[in-house]
Amino acid sequence: MVNSMVENIPCNLCGAQDSEPYFTKGGLTIVRCTRCGLVYVNPRLKKTEVWKRYNPDYFWQEYMPAHRAPNGEFVADWHRQRAQPVLNLLQPYYQLGTLLEVGCAAGFFLKIAEETGWKTHGVEIMSPAVAYARDTLGLNVFEGTLEQAQFGDESFDAVVMIETVEHLLDPAETVRQAYRLLRPGGAIWIAVPNLRSIMLPLLGVDWSVLSPVEHLYYFTEDTLRQMLKNIGFRSVQFFWRLDHHHVLKTMNPYNTHRPGSLRSRLVRWGVLTFGRVVDPLIIKMKRTDRLMALAVK
Ligand SMILES: [Zn+2]
């Protein structure tokens, strides 16, 4: 890694400079804060380098195929199945009827939210995603960061961040902005990869969630709760699975950077063979792939 391309950063949660190496991958090191336990990439690529990752190839070759849309299709039933459990949890907070998604990508979640009666806004930095959300789905999406969007204070009932927070350069600041935009009593929904996933010990450093170019932060229940509480959120509630989840959502053995390795093949065989039996235990032990939190302003 060329020195001018990387930067050293303090812990985003407690400001400490002390950390110990945790994993090294692709020339970048993932560290753990010795004071509060937050896991993050340090030193990390600078913003201009990180943002290069979000190019049209990333959107069309990685993001869209992973969302059943290799050719730009909108498979409404599939998205409805994924979005509805989240929308059900947010429904009690419906007053103004306004919902904001930060990092909305193509806007699939927002489109379903709109169908169920929410007035929706999105924020997204990936140009081709913004174009798709606006032109194909007819959504209201701001291109840029949440800080640049300049929404009014207390103007939303709900803010949603699905697989976004781990990509942010300053997650605490962005979530603080979300807090400012929520009306008192409004709710935030955050879904991130779970650093305590059983897939980490099983796949080791090959686990594709460990992607230090663009996944800059790795949360546990403890560190995500701490971040939400520091900002002022209350009634923080965690979820380990939603109604539509199946075994591959709980522990996905395909999330590996070396699918052909013996280790990856063994894990895949194990999950496909015994996954359904151990699934309830994995959920009970909070070792699922995703960590989801609902919190109230
Ligand atoms: Zn810390």
Side-chain angles (χ1 to χ4, degrees), residues 252-271:
N252 189 342
Y254 296 99
N255 284 340
T256 169
H257 279 140
R258 291 173 65 213
S261 73
L262 178 61
R263 184 174 186 174
S264 292
R265 284 186 288 148
L266 274 173
V267 171
R268 198 155 59 232
W269 174 80
V271 171

mmCIF file of all heavy atoms in Angstrom, residues 252-271:
data_model
loop_
_atom_site.group_PDB
_atom_site.id
_atom_site.type_symbol
_atom_site.label_atom_id
_atom_site.label_comp_id
_atom_site.label_asym_id
_atom_site.label_seq_id
_atom_site.Cartn_x
_atom_site.Cartn_y
_atom_site.Cartn_z
ATOM 1 N N ASN A 252 -24.078 -17.725 6.122
ATOM 2 C CA ASN A 252 -23.920 -17.929 4.684
ATOM 3 C C ASN A 252 -22.506 -18.412 4.338
ATOM 4 O O ASN A 252 -21.559 -17.639 4.383
ATOM 5 C CB ASN A 252 -24.242 -16.626 3.952
ATOM 6 C CG ASN A 252 -24.311 -16.840 2.453
ATOM 7 O OD1 ASN A 252 -23.803 -17.844 1.937
ATOM 8 N ND2 ASN A 252 -24.935 -15.919 1.761
ATOM 9 N N PRO A 253 -22.375 -19.705 3.970
ATOM 10 C CA PRO A 253 -21.039 -20.234 3.694
ATOM 11 C C PRO A 253 -20.478 -19.762 2.347
ATOM 12 O O PRO A 253 -19.317 -20.010 2.038
ATOM 13 C CB PRO A 253 -21.262 -21.749 3.682
ATOM 14 C CG PRO A 253 -22.664 -21.913 3.225
ATOM 15 C CD PRO A 253 -23.422 -20.705 3.727
ATOM 16 N N TYR A 254 -21.330 -19.091 1.544
ATOM 17 C CA TYR A 254 -20.851 -18.595 0.246
ATOM 18 C C TYR A 254 -20.105 -17.274 0.389
ATOM 19 O O TYR A 254 -19.504 -16.799 -0.555
ATOM 20 C CB TYR A 254 -22.028 -18.435 -0.732
ATOM 21 C CG TYR A 254 -22.686 -19.770 -1.041
ATOM 22 C CD1 TYR A 254 -23.846 -20.155 -0.381
ATOM 23 C CD2 TYR A 254 -22.120 -20.642 -1.966
ATOM 24 C CE1 TYR A 254 -24.445 -21.385 -0.638
ATOM 25 C CE2 TYR A 254 -22.706 -21.865 -2.235
ATOM 26 C CZ TYR A 254 -23.862 -22.244 -1.567
ATOM 27 O OH TYR A 254 -24.428 -23.455 -1.824
ATOM 28 N N ASN A 255 -20.170 -16.681 1.588
ATOM 29 C CA ASN A 255 -19.437 -15.428 1.827
ATOM 30 C C ASN A 255 -17.959 -15.716 2.094
ATOM 31 O O ASN A 255 -17.439 -15.488 3.173
ATOM 32 C CB ASN A 255 -20.024 -14.672 3.028
ATOM 33 C CG ASN A 255 -21.331 -13.982 2.678
ATOM 34 O OD1 ASN A 255 -21.620 -13.744 1.511
ATOM 35 N ND2 ASN A 255 -22.117 -13.667 3.695
ATOM 36 N N THR A 256 -17.289 -16.235 1.082
ATOM 37 C CA THR A 256 -15.871 -16.531 1.224
ATOM 38 C C THR A 256 -15.109 -15.981 0.030
ATOM 39 O O THR A 256 -15.616 -15.982 -1.098
ATOM 40 C CB THR A 256 -15.616 -18.045 1.347
ATOM 41 O OG1 THR A 256 -14.209 -18.287 1.227
ATOM 42 C CG2 THR A 256 -16.348 -18.833 0.268
ATOM 43 N N HIS A 257 -13.899 -15.508 0.283
ATOM 44 C CA HIS A 257 -13.070 -15.026 -0.821
ATOM 45 C C HIS A 257 -12.324 -16.160 -1.508
ATOM 46 O O HIS A 257 -11.701 -15.956 -2.536
ATOM 47 C CB HIS A 257 -12.074 -13.963 -0.305
ATOM 48 C CG HIS A 257 -12.695 -12.602 -0.178
ATOM 49 N ND1 HIS A 257 -12.440 -11.757 0.876
ATOM 50 C CD2 HIS A 257 -13.574 -11.930 -0.978
ATOM 51 C CE1 HIS A 257 -13.131 -10.626 0.717
ATOM 52 N NE2 HIS A 257 -13.821 -10.715 -0.386
ATOM 53 N N ARG A 258 -12.369 -17.365 -0.910
ATOM 54 C CA ARG A 258 -11.707 -18.511 -1.547
ATOM 55 C C ARG A 258 -12.659 -19.695 -1.597
ATOM 56 O O ARG A 258 -12.493 -20.670 -0.864
ATOM 57 C CB ARG A 258 -10.430 -18.869 -0.774
ATOM 58 C CG ARG A 258 -9.329 -17.804 -0.919
ATOM 59 C CD ARG A 258 -8.148 -18.099 -0.018
ATOM 60 N NE ARG A 258 -7.472 -19.329 -0.407
ATOM 61 C CZ ARG A 258 -6.878 -20.161 0.454
ATOM 62 N NH1 ARG A 258 -6.913 -19.908 1.758
ATOM 63 N NH2 ARG A 258 -6.275 -21.238 0.033
ATOM 64 N N PRO A 259 -13.664 -19.602 -2.486
ATOM 65 C CA PRO A 259 -14.714 -20.640 -2.518
ATOM 66 C C PRO A 259 -14.171 -22.034 -2.824
ATOM 67 O O PRO A 259 -14.780 -23.027 -2.425
ATOM 68 C CB PRO A 259 -15.667 -20.160 -3.621
ATOM 69 C CG PRO A 259 -14.915 -19.136 -4.409
ATOM 70 C CD PRO A 259 -13.902 -18.545 -3.477
ATOM 71 N N GLY A 260 -13.017 -22.111 -3.495
ATOM 72 C CA GLY A 260 -12.494 -23.425 -3.875
ATOM 73 C C GLY A 260 -11.615 -24.079 -2.833
ATOM 74 O O GLY A 260 -11.213 -25.241 -2.986
ATOM 75 N N SER A 261 -11.289 -23.372 -1.739
ATOM 76 C CA SER A 261 -10.366 -23.950 -0.751
ATOM 77 C C SER A 261 -11.041 -25.109 -0.002
ATOM 78 O O SER A 261 -12.274 -25.170 0.099
ATOM 79 C CB SER A 261 -9.927 -22.880 0.256
ATOM 80 O OG SER A 261 -10.991 -22.572 1.133
ATOM 81 N N LEU A 262 -10.236 -26.001 0.524
ATOM 82 C CA LEU A 262 -10.773 -27.155 1.244
ATOM 83 C C LEU A 262 -11.626 -26.688 2.424
ATOM 84 O O LEU A 262 -12.715 -27.195 2.671
ATOM 85 C CB LEU A 262 -9.610 -28.034 1.734
ATOM 86 C CG LEU A 262 -10.027 -29.271 2.543
ATOM 87 C CD1 LEU A 262 -10.896 -30.210 1.699
ATOM 88 C CD2 LEU A 262 -8.791 -30.015 3.071
ATOM 89 N N ARG A 263 -11.105 -25.677 3.122
ATOM 90 C CA ARG A 263 -11.809 -25.156 4.289
ATOM 91 C C ARG A 263 -13.200 -24.626 3.907
ATOM 92 O O ARG A 263 -14.200 -24.965 4.547
ATOM 93 C CB ARG A 263 -10.972 -24.038 4.914
ATOM 94 C CG ARG A 263 -11.564 -23.486 6.192
ATOM 95 C CD ARG A 263 -10.610 -22.492 6.803
ATOM 96 N NE ARG A 263 -11.059 -22.021 8.100
ATOM 97 C CZ ARG A 263 -10.340 -21.235 8.892
ATOM 98 N NH1 ARG A 263 -9.138 -20.846 8.518
ATOM 99 N NH2 ARG A 263 -10.828 -20.846 10.056
ATOM 100 N N SER A 264 -13.244 -23.807 2.844
ATOM 101 C CA SER A 264 -14.526 -23.249 2.402
ATOM 102 C C SER A 264 -15.488 -24.356 1.984
ATOM 103 O O SER A 264 -16.686 -24.301 2.270
ATOM 104 C CB SER A 264 -14.325 -22.284 1.231
ATOM 105 O OG SER A 264 -13.636 -21.135 1.668
ATOM 106 N N ARG A 265 -14.955 -25.373 1.302
ATOM 107 C CA ARG A 265 -15.829 -26.456 0.826
ATOM 108 C C ARG A 265 -16.389 -27.265 1.989
ATOM 109 O O ARG A 265 -17.541 -27.668 1.984
ATOM 110 C CB ARG A 265 -15.076 -27.349 -0.175
ATOM 111 C CG ARG A 265 -14.958 -26.658 -1.547
ATOM 112 C CD ARG A 265 -14.366 -27.559 -2.593
ATOM 113 N NE ARG A 265 -12.936 -27.764 -2.369
ATOM 114 C CZ ARG A 265 -12.282 -28.892 -2.682
ATOM 115 N NH1 ARG A 265 -12.931 -29.902 -3.236
ATOM 116 N NH2 ARG A 265 -10.998 -28.985 -2.453
ATOM 117 N N LEU A 266 -15.542 -27.463 3.017
ATOM 118 C CA LEU A 266 -16.003 -28.188 4.209
ATOM 119 C C LEU A 266 -17.096 -27.411 4.944
ATOM 120 O O LEU A 266 -18.107 -27.973 5.362
ATOM 121 C CB LEU A 266 -14.822 -28.417 5.169
ATOM 122 C CG LEU A 266 -13.984 -29.651 4.926
ATOM 123 C CD1 LEU A 266 -12.756 -29.646 5.835
ATOM 124 C CD2 LEU A 266 -14.819 -30.921 5.170
ATOM 125 N N VAL A 267 -16.870 -26.096 5.078
ATOM 126 C CA VAL A 267 -17.854 -25.256 5.762
ATOM 127 C C VAL A 267 -19.177 -25.277 5.003
ATOM 128 O O VAL A 267 -20.256 -25.410 5.587
ATOM 129 C CB VAL A 267 -17.330 -23.806 5.933
ATOM 130 C CG1 VAL A 267 -18.420 -22.881 6.444
ATOM 131 C CG2 VAL A 267 -16.124 -23.776 6.876
ATOM 132 N N ARG A 268 -19.086 -25.179 3.678
ATOM 133 C CA ARG A 268 -20.294 -25.185 2.840
ATOM 134 C C ARG A 268 -21.041 -26.503 3.024
ATOM 135 O O ARG A 268 -22.264 -26.514 3.234
ATOM 136 C CB ARG A 268 -19.878 -24.992 1.374
ATOM 137 C CG ARG A 268 -20.999 -24.563 0.466
ATOM 138 C CD ARG A 268 -20.440 -23.827 -0.731
ATOM 139 N NE ARG A 268 -19.510 -24.627 -1.523
ATOM 140 C CZ ARG A 268 -18.285 -24.250 -1.873
ATOM 141 N NH1 ARG A 268 -17.822 -23.079 -1.505
ATOM 142 N NH2 ARG A 268 -17.509 -25.031 -2.595
ATOM 143 N N TRP A 269 -20.321 -27.590 2.981
ATOM 144 C CA TRP A 269 -20.949 -28.903 3.170
ATOM 145 C C TRP A 269 -21.605 -28.961 4.554
ATOM 146 O O TRP A 269 -22.749 -29.407 4.704
ATOM 147 C CB TRP A 269 -19.893 -30.012 3.019
ATOM 148 C CG TRP A 269 -20.429 -31.370 3.346
ATOM 149 C CD1 TRP A 269 -21.189 -32.171 2.521
ATOM 150 C CD2 TRP A 269 -20.274 -32.061 4.587
ATOM 151 N NE1 TRP A 269 -21.518 -33.328 3.181
ATOM 152 C CE2 TRP A 269 -20.976 -33.300 4.448
ATOM 153 C CE3 TRP A 269 -19.629 -31.790 5.787
ATOM 154 C CZ2 TRP A 269 -21.039 -34.237 5.476
ATOM 155 C CZ3 TRP A 269 -19.687 -32.713 6.809
ATOM 156 C CH2 TRP A 269 -20.393 -33.920 6.654
ATOM 157 N N GLY A 270 -20.883 -28.486 5.567
ATOM 158 C CA GLY A 270 -21.407 -28.523 6.935
ATOM 159 C C GLY A 270 -22.685 -27.719 7.078
ATOM 160 O O GLY A 270 -23.676 -28.197 7.649
ATOM 161 N N VAL A 271 -22.692 -26.512 6.531
ATOM 162 C CA VAL A 271 -23.879 -25.654 6.681
ATOM 163 C C VAL A 271 -25.054 -26.232 5.889
ATOM 164 O O VAL A 271 -26.190 -26.274 6.376
ATOM 165 C CB VAL A 271 -23.581 -24.198 6.245
ATOM 166 C CG1 VAL A 271 -24.863 -23.379 6.186
ATOM 167 C CG2 VAL A 271 -22.579 -23.546 7.192
#
